[in-house]
């Protein structure tokens, strides 16, 4: 069945460091891919998405490219800030509107 | 426009009791999905309702049930609560269409503690 695997955390980075959070998926066909972010005490917020191969989603300095050949959707940011500290979830949406989420990666950015 | 709202935000119950959680989707959204989030299991899909019908279902026991009303508001019920039901319950709404552009928007969650 469909599934999402993302790198385990926690990840700790210094401010202005480069961030990569790996995400790979298993699905038949062409799912849509998403990154969500969850700040402490809050629900999930959509960060970015891509709906077809080679699409690049971007928002707030974060980027992710839909790579069908490697079934990946890695999240990157060139220079993280303390305010980026949160839990990041990779997800896919396939037919029938069912979403599958990864287990989440906790990011802490220290000044 | 207003986002997804969930009530109550916090709930404390004892084992054996039942609980009902409520979710109001974004205006115009017809799909409501429910998730259970725990530190050990991550985000687990419970079920999805679309136009008052359950369209998808996760792998949870029958103690977990839901329904959706004609205004798209949804409720989730958990009967005979167990300690392991303590979790953050998240609701997400979307248009529910088959197209690629459909996206889920989450509410802030209801934190349920079972004592």
């Amino acid at each position: 069945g469909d599934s999402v695997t993302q790198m385990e955390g926690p990840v700790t980075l210094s401010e202005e460091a480069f961030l990569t959070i790996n995400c790979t998926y298993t699905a038949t066909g062409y799912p849509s891919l998403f990154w969500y972010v969850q700040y402490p005490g809050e629900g999930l917020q959509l960060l970015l998405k891509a709906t077809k191969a080679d699409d690049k989603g971007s928002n707030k300095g974060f980027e992710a490219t839909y790579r069908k050949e490697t079934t990946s959707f890695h999240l990157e940011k060139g220079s993280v800030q303390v305010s980026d500290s949160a839990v990041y979830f990779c997800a896919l949406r396939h037919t029938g509107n069912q979403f599958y989420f990864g287990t989440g990666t906790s990011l802490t950015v220290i000044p | 426009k207003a986002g997804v709202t969930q009530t109550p935000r916090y709930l404390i119950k004892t084992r054996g009791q039942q609980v009902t959680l409520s979710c109001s989707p974004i205006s115009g959204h017809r799909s409501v999905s429910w998730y259970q989030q725990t530190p050990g299991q991550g985000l687990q899909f419970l079920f999805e309702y679309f136009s008052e019908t359950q369209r998808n279902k996760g792998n949870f026991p029958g103690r977990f049930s839901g329904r959706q009303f004609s205004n798209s508001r949804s409720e989730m019920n958990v009967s005979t609560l167990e300690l392991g039901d303590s979790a953050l319950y998240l609701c997400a709404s979307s248009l529910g269409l088959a197209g690629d552009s459909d996206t889920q928007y989450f509410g802030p969650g209801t934190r349920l503690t079972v004592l």
Side-chain angles (χ1 to χ4, degrees):
Chain A
D2 294 358
S3 66
V4 174
T5 302
Q6 60 181 105
M7 64 183 282
E8 293 193 18
V11 174
T12 302
L13 295 173
S14 298
E15 205 165 24
E16 298 184 3
F18 185 85
L19 169 71
T20 299
I21 300 178
N22 291 337
C23 170
T24 57
Y25 68 90
T26 300
T28 55
Y30 303 92
S32 296
L33 301 174
F34 304 80
W35 277 101
Y36 283 84
V37 58
Q38 186 177 34
Y39 298 101
E42 299 182 12
L44 277 68
Q45 300 176 23
L46 177 66
L47 182 59
L48 52 84
K49 69 178 184 181
T51 59
K52 59 183 186 294
D54 299 325
D55 264 4
K56 177 186 283 187
S58 62
N59 185 27
K60 299 181 182 179
F62 291 89
E63 292 183 339
T65 301
Y66 190 143
R67 302 283 188 203
K68 185 158 178 62
E69 63 276 13
T70 55
T71 62
S72 66
F73 192 55
H74 303 322
L75 182 68
E76 297 182 336
K77 186 175 185 182
S79 176
V80 293
Q81 306 300 312
V82 172
S83 58
D84 293 327
S85 297
V87 180
Y88 293 82
F89 292 88
C90 183
L92 72 81
R93 173 185 174 267
H94 211 195
T95 55
N97 201 45
Q98 185 157 349
F99 280 71
Y100 298 86
F101 284 83
T103 52
T105 301
S106 174
L107 169 67
T108 300
V109 180
I110 54 177
Chain B
K1 53 186 172 182
V4 179
T5 58
Q6 291 186 245
T7 56
R9 290 294 310 277
Y10 302 92
L11 210 47
I12 299 175
K13 292 286 187 179
T14 56
R15 278 183 299 173
Q17 287 187 308
Q18 75 165 20
V19 67
T20 299
L21 312 181
S22 180
C23 172
S24 293
I26 291 171
S27 177
H29 284 190
R30 295 166 63 190
S31 168
V32 173
S33 296
W34 288 90
Y35 296 86
Q36 182 194 65
Q37 186 179 21
T38 58
Q41 300 294 321
L43 213 64
Q44 293 188 288
F45 173 74
L46 281 152
F47 31 65
E48 181 217 4
Y49 284 86
F50 178 78
S51 292
E52 302 179 64
T53 300
Q54 188 179 86
R55 185 162 69 172
N56 289 300
K57 188 178 188 303
N59 193 27
F60 276 79
R63 299 186 297 108
F64 293 82
S65 63
R67 60 177 174 168
Q68 187 178 35
F69 302 95
S70 58
N71 62 357
S72 295
R73 189 177 71 85
S74 177
E75 288 183 346
M76 189 191 87
N77 185 274
V78 187
S79 63
T80 319
L81 284 167
E82 302 176 358
L83 295 178
D85 297 332
S86 296
L88 180 67
Y89 289 87
L90 293 166
C91 159
S93 80
S94 71
L95 292 170
L97 304 177
D100 291 339
S101 61
D102 205 26
T103 299
Q104 287 195 338
Y105 296 88
F106 283 79
T110 294
R111 172 73 63 185
L112 172 64
T113 302
V114 182
L115 303 176

